[in-house]
Amino acid sequence: MSGPFPSTHRSLAAYALCRSALQLTLIALTMALFAGCKKASGPPALGAPEVTVMKVVARDTPVDLEFTAQTQSSREVEIRARVDGFLDERTYTEGQEVKAGQTLFKMDPKPFEAALLTAQGLLAQQQARLTVAQQNLARVKPLAAQHALSQKDLDDAIGNEKQAQAAVISAEGQVETAKLNLGYTTIKSPLRGLASYARQQDGSYLIANASGLLTYVYQLDPMWVNFSISENEMLRFQDEISAGKLIFPPKSEFVVTVDLADGSEFPQHGTISFANPAFSTETGTFLVRAVLANPTGTLRPGQFVRARVSGAVRPGAILVPQRAVLQGAKSHFVWVVDQESKAKQRVVEVGDWNGDNWFINDGLRAGERIVVDGAIRVVPDVPLKIVGTLASTETGGKKVVEKGGASEPQVPAGGGATPGPAAPRAPSGASQ
């Protein structure tokens, strides 16, 4: 059958067929693209975070209180001139140790020797007058007894004899003064210690009150170590003691250890010998003094050291490694692991440092498990792969770290039961 426009009908049919094929192709591409996007929208499957955990233990823990301290000579003596005169000679080596009684300086003795001779001459005169007065009294007494002389003559003779005795005593005192002044021209050290440099040079004229300082001698054994406790620290200690969170030793019998500037520990330990009963009005601190034996003179006056005061105990304290504690927006927190090896965030109140560990004042209980290593990778309520357990025991006052995780439940990726890798090596901070 032929129509008026046969070629046109064939063109329209071909156009419709091509259009349908194009629509089917577009629909197929759209579905494939949607399927691809849907598949890429989800994160790739990740394995369970690998962590090391630790069981929280509460135990009585010794604590060291650390303070910045300064050494001081237990006896610091000013060597001064005690008489006026010229300085002849310095007889010691500056900066060296001197012995008790060792001569340090010599002054010109000649004026003092002359003064001694003068005083001795005056004493001889008074002794002669005393002799005359005694002889006169001896003659007057019998005559007065026979009423050959009046009572007034006897009283005058007694008075003259007593005046002569007093004059002799005064002259003897002047002689002793002259001897002392002569002796002061030889200036000696009153103790064994370290002598400082000379403040006056040979030939200087010394005035006892003004320019009489010659040097210092510092006793080195024993040595004092002074440190200060702030008012806030003292109040905190008192509050913790009242709350039973801190126990001081009986009679405050602390042991003081000194760390030198290079980090080495001074071999001798000391004790607290003095605590100022009042706070300083200038610094608001409480002065405490420790005394240490210093037989070799290692410690010198004025050194800045670190004083560690041992003897205090925190009863039932919880101590965790610092790396297990994370800082949140408003507080510190740790990851607590439950029986299903899932972690939950727990806010904690941190206290003082103890080496590389932290005292936890509130937020943890004994027996709970916390994440130590790998805490930064933990996701809440996601099963963890526990690869090691840190358990601390006290041996000789130190903490020994035991590693291994065989007894802990392990949840490897994929839900299998294959054991995890060996526990990571514990850092040095875990052995405190």
PDB file of all heavy atoms in Angstrom, residues 30-40:
ATOM      1  N   THR A  30      23.264   6.096  33.525  1.00  0.00           N
ATOM      2  CA  THR A  30      22.883   6.722  34.799  1.00  0.00           C
ATOM      3  C   THR A  30      22.848   5.712  35.932  1.00  0.00           C
ATOM      4  O   THR A  30      23.307   5.960  37.051  1.00  0.00           O
ATOM      5  CB  THR A  30      21.521   7.389  34.648  1.00  0.00           C
ATOM      6  OG1 THR A  30      21.592   8.364  33.606  1.00  0.00           O
ATOM      7  CG2 THR A  30      21.088   8.076  35.947  1.00  0.00           C
ATOM      8  N   MET A  31      22.301   4.519  35.632  1.00  0.00           N
ATOM      9  CA  MET A  31      22.243   3.484  36.672  1.00  0.00           C
ATOM     10  C   MET A  31      23.640   3.020  37.060  1.00  0.00           C
ATOM     11  O   MET A  31      23.945   2.793  38.243  1.00  0.00           O
ATOM     12  CB  MET A  31      21.413   2.304  36.168  1.00  0.00           C
ATOM     13  CG  MET A  31      19.921   2.641  35.983  1.00  0.00           C
ATOM     14  SD  MET A  31      18.990   1.245  35.335  1.00  0.00           S
ATOM     15  CE  MET A  31      19.170   0.110  36.708  1.00  0.00           C
ATOM     16  N   ALA A  32      24.515   2.880  36.050  1.00  0.00           N
ATOM     17  CA  ALA A  32      25.893   2.455  36.357  1.00  0.00           C
ATOM     18  C   ALA A  32      26.618   3.510  37.183  1.00  0.00           C
ATOM     19  O   ALA A  32      27.327   3.204  38.140  1.00  0.00           O
ATOM     20  CB  ALA A  32      26.639   2.186  35.031  1.00  0.00           C
ATOM     21  N   LEU A  33      26.422   4.798  36.831  1.00  0.00           N
ATOM     22  CA  LEU A  33      27.056   5.872  37.602  1.00  0.00           C
ATOM     23  C   LEU A  33      26.519   5.935  39.007  1.00  0.00           C
ATOM     24  O   LEU A  33      27.245   6.109  39.984  1.00  0.00           O
ATOM     25  CB  LEU A  33      26.824   7.209  36.889  1.00  0.00           C
ATOM     26  CG  LEU A  33      27.440   8.446  37.563  1.00  0.00           C
ATOM     27  CD1 LEU A  33      28.955   8.287  37.641  1.00  0.00           C
ATOM     28  CD2 LEU A  33      27.090   9.718  36.789  1.00  0.00           C
ATOM     29  N   PHE A  34      25.212   5.779  39.183  1.00  0.00           N
ATOM     30  CA  PHE A  34      24.617   5.798  40.520  1.00  0.00           C
ATOM     31  C   PHE A  34      25.129   4.646  41.374  1.00  0.00           C
ATOM     32  O   PHE A  34      25.427   4.800  42.552  1.00  0.00           O
ATOM     33  CB  PHE A  34      23.097   5.733  40.384  1.00  0.00           C
ATOM     34  CG  PHE A  34      22.381   5.679  41.706  1.00  0.00           C
ATOM     35  CD1 PHE A  34      22.228   6.828  42.480  1.00  0.00           C
ATOM     36  CD2 PHE A  34      21.882   4.484  42.194  1.00  0.00           C
ATOM     37  CE1 PHE A  34      21.589   6.778  43.691  1.00  0.00           C
ATOM     38  CE2 PHE A  34      21.251   4.433  43.411  1.00  0.00           C
ATOM     39  CZ  PHE A  34      21.089   5.590  44.167  1.00  0.00           C
ATOM     40  N   ALA A  35      25.213   3.481  40.712  1.00  0.00           N
ATOM     41  CA  ALA A  35      25.734   2.326  41.448  1.00  0.00           C
ATOM     42  C   ALA A  35      27.181   2.548  41.877  1.00  0.00           C
ATOM     43  O   ALA A  35      27.597   2.223  42.985  1.00  0.00           O
ATOM     44  CB  ALA A  35      25.611   1.067  40.596  1.00  0.00           C
ATOM     45  N   GLY A  36      27.971   3.171  41.014  1.00  0.00           N
ATOM     46  CA  GLY A  36      29.373   3.444  41.364  1.00  0.00           C
ATOM     47  C   GLY A  36      29.495   4.443  42.480  1.00  0.00           C
ATOM     48  O   GLY A  36      30.287   4.291  43.397  1.00  0.00           O
ATOM     49  N   CYS A  37      28.686   5.494  42.436  1.00  0.00           N
ATOM     50  CA  CYS A  37      28.728   6.498  43.511  1.00  0.00           C
ATOM     51  C   CYS A  37      28.287   5.918  44.827  1.00  0.00           C
ATOM     52  O   CYS A  37      28.841   6.203  45.884  1.00  0.00           O
ATOM     53  CB  CYS A  37      27.843   7.692  43.131  1.00  0.00           C
ATOM     54  SG  CYS A  37      28.464   8.633  41.727  1.00  0.00           S
ATOM     55  N   LYS A  38      27.280   5.070  44.781  1.00  0.00           N
ATOM     56  CA  LYS A  38      26.781   4.469  46.015  1.00  0.00           C
ATOM     57  C   LYS A  38      27.832   3.574  46.636  1.00  0.00           C
ATOM     58  O   LYS A  38      28.029   3.543  47.842  1.00  0.00           O
ATOM     59  CB  LYS A  38      25.514   3.688  45.716  1.00  0.00           C
ATOM     60  CG  LYS A  38      24.869   3.071  46.944  1.00  0.00           C
ATOM     61  CD  LYS A  38      23.591   2.380  46.583  1.00  0.00           C
ATOM     62  CE  LYS A  38      22.938   1.784  47.824  1.00  0.00           C
ATOM     63  NZ  LYS A  38      21.681   1.080  47.491  1.00  0.00           N
ATOM     64  N   LYS A  39      28.560   2.907  45.807  1.00  0.00           N
ATOM     65  CA  LYS A  39      29.605   2.022  46.328  1.00  0.00           C
ATOM     66  C   LYS A  39      30.754   2.817  46.915  1.00  0.00           C
ATOM     67  O   LYS A  39      31.337   2.459  47.926  1.00  0.00           O
ATOM     68  CB  LYS A  39      30.096   1.117  45.203  1.00  0.00           C
ATOM     69  CG  LYS A  39      31.143   0.125  45.646  1.00  0.00           C
ATOM     70  CD  LYS A  39      31.542  -0.788  44.498  1.00  0.00           C
ATOM     71  CE  LYS A  39      32.597  -1.797  44.940  1.00  0.00           C
ATOM     72  NZ  LYS A  39      33.013  -2.705  43.830  1.00  0.00           N
ATOM     73  N   ALA A  40      31.090   3.982  46.322  1.00  0.00           N
ATOM     74  CA  ALA A  40      32.236   4.781  46.816  1.00  0.00           C
ATOM     75  C   ALA A  40      31.875   5.637  48.007  1.00  0.00           C
ATOM     76  O   ALA A  40      32.744   6.189  48.660  1.00  0.00           O
ATOM     77  CB  ALA A  40      32.768   5.665  45.686  1.00  0.00           C
TER      78      ALA A  40
END
